Amino acid sequence: MDGVSLALTVVQTYRAVLSAYNLYVNIKDFPSTYLDLHFSFRIEKFRLTQWGEHMLSEVEQKRLEQSEQDIGLWQLFQVVVDKMWKIFQENSELLDDYGKLAGVSGEQEPPDSNMLQSLSLSTKSQPKSSIGGFAKKMRFVLRDRKKLEQLIKSLCYWNDSLEKMSSRLLQDSFRRRLRTKFSTGNMEQLQQLEAAAVLLKHRDLQGLASARAVVEQGYLSEKLGHPVEEKSTSAPPESNYQLEMSQLDFHGSPFLTDQIRAMATWQGQSVVVDWRLCRDDTWRRENPKAFRLRTQNLTKILNKDLAPLGLSVLHCIGYLDQSSKVTGYAFRLPPEAPQDQKPLTLHQLFATVRQPSDVPGLGERFELAKALVSTVFEIHNLGWLHKNLSPKQVVFFKRGNNPEPDLSRPFLMGFDISRPNAPGEVSEKPLSDSEDDLYRHPDYRSVNSQSFLPSFDIFSLGILLFEIGLWRSVGAQGQRRSSNRQERPDLQSHTSDPQFIEKVVTRGQISDLKRYMGKIYHDAVFACLSKDLDRIWKNDESDQELRLQRHQSEVQTKVVDAIASCRA
């Protein structure tokens, strides 16, 4: 079979499979005990759809027609989509068999796409013509849960096979879009998502549903003024995670005014305590219950296993109060880190550069950037805002006896003022000085600052990416550190200028990123700093969830996937 005929056959079979999916996805009034299976069909249909939109695009078809060098790959595509179609055909035969047992003629054709939109399984509905008989068949076959589970598990297997035929970059991109698609603030849907993810062994979706449920329950508990029972299928025994100061053996002073982190020992293992500094405690004094619940809920989120989501964060074991104005979060050190080792911050690493040879290799900087953009992206997918991104909040540990910190394993900290991304939510303003303000969106650091938006985090992320590219703190750009201008670019502005970052974007030396990191990296940083993402939140009148999905889609395309493609 030539390339043109093969492409046509694959696309036709693919479309037939999607139509078969619609039978299960679009049907109304699915039995309540089967909603997890209904959600499973939605997940697998979306996976197949996004695979097809990329791998079977017109561009890919034309490339096959012109070259046919990928004909072997397309032949594999044909094998897999044929398998899927056969699975649906076999299930259609079962529908006819069950229909005969139910007293419904097996000669009736399935409803077309227009009729399917009105197909309901409700026993109260009285559909007309052939669609009524088909509904009876579906009600009958849905008594057999095992058959449906077998069907959706088989489809999941073949979706896995298709995705594995694409590059690792594409596989990661597919999973990110899948998580964004099904991230929701609806608690019932999160329960269905988690149950479906368990059935299909999608660990990332299971982790997303479990963690997002904690966020939403926490938001609701703050509004009600009391904890809300967790309904996650994988929820651990309830705990408020509060620790006493006496439970930790601090290494030196537990807290100093110039120290935001302290090392301690808890139950025989080293932990790092990230203190929540508060000079203005007005909000917590006026909202004591909300503040306490926010603290407990944040701890609960960071106590989750977030590794399947690709979040570079430490595991939180609990929180503690040092005083009325100081609250701390205790984190376990990563397993590979030597015990008792205090983390180094990205800010500290920038300060150690004395000569060009001190700058890490291009590959190391790319890996660091990838970890950070993925972490911020997934935090937003959980319905949470960080609000305090800066190089002081990015920490590293040494690996074993290696004297150098492991730059490929950064950990994001500084969640002290973070909060849910929900209408009407507030939290304390960050501690502020001229250097810290450089990392904040202009609309947030102004006198009449507006409520924090996800795009403000992306702006801060852009500055971090800019610094990683040049391996130098924005706050130190006025300080010449090398006699060789070509080795160490400097910015032609002063950090006290309120428009400092804007000048970097419009006519500053952000263009040097093309020489140092490549055009793709440069464009991703520019997308963060251009403030173009603000329009989604300021000009779009759709609901919060739809705006977040639009925001995440643009961030993934312009920033996350772009940075992920960078190679040394």
Side-chain angles (χ1 to χ4, degrees), residues 332-346:
R332 287 190 177 94
L333 272 58
E336 67 273 14
Q339 293 297 298
D340 303 326
Q341 181 201 136
K342 188 174 182 179
L344 287 171
T345 68
L346 183 59

Side-chain angles (χ1 to χ4, degrees), residues 423-440:
E425 278 290 280
V426 296
S427 63
E428 295 156 323
K429 289 285 185 180
L431 293 177
S432 181
D433 57 35
S434 58
E435 183 179 7
D436 291 335
D437 277 346
L438 291 176
Y439 300 91
R440 297 187 179 117

Side-chain angles (χ1 to χ4, degrees), residues 167-193:
S167 68
R168 185 65 196 180
L169 278 176
L170 268 179
Q171 292 179 49
D172 291 342
S173 178
F174 287 159
R175 297 307 298 190
R176 279 191 287 269
R177 293 198 185 280
L178 182 67
R179 292 193 292 271
T180 298
K181 170 68 175 179
F182 291 103
S183 179
T184 175
N186 185 302
M187 288 299 299
E188 290 185 4
Q189 290 186 20
L190 287 174
Q191 292 174 43
Q192 296 163 16
L193 173 61

Side-chain angles (χ1 to χ4, degrees), residues 85 208 265 363 491:
W85 180 236
L208 169 70
T265 300
L491 300 178

Side-chain angles (χ1 to χ4, degrees), residues 437-501:
D437 277 346
L438 291 176
Y439 300 91
R440 297 187 179 117
H441 192 287
D443 291 348
Y444 190 64
R445 66 172 182 255
S446 63
V447 176
N448 299 316
S449 62
Q450 66 181 80
S451 182
F452 199 90
L453 301 173
S455 58
F456 293 3
D457 267 343
I458 300 302
F459 181 87
S460 303
L461 175 65
I463 302 172
L464 278 175
L465 295 175
F466 176 82
E467 292 181 320
I468 291 168
L470 302 183
W471 206 251
R472 188 172 181 181
S473 170
V474 166
Q477 291 297 337
Q479 303 173 20
R480 296 295 297 272
R481 298 204 177 220
S482 171
S483 58
N484 189 340
R485 180 180 176 83
Q486 297 302 316
E487 297 290 345
R488 305 289 299 153
D490 285 295
L491 300 178
Q492 303 303 306
S493 186
H494 193 276
T495 57
S496 61
D497 184 347
Q499 300 299 312
F500 177 76
I501 299 300

Side-chain angles (χ1 to χ4, degrees), residues 242-274:
Q242 185 169 12
L243 302 174
E244 299 297 331
M245 293 288 288
S246 59
Q247 292 179 267
L248 279 72
D249 181 16
F250 284 91
H251 307 169
S253 174
F255 177 80
L256 298 174
T257 55
D258 60 348
Q259 174 182 306
I260 62 172
R261 297 184 181 99
M263 298 300 297
T265 300
W266 175 78
Q267 295 185 356
Q269 56 185 309
S270 293
V271 297
V272 56
V273 178
D274 205 22

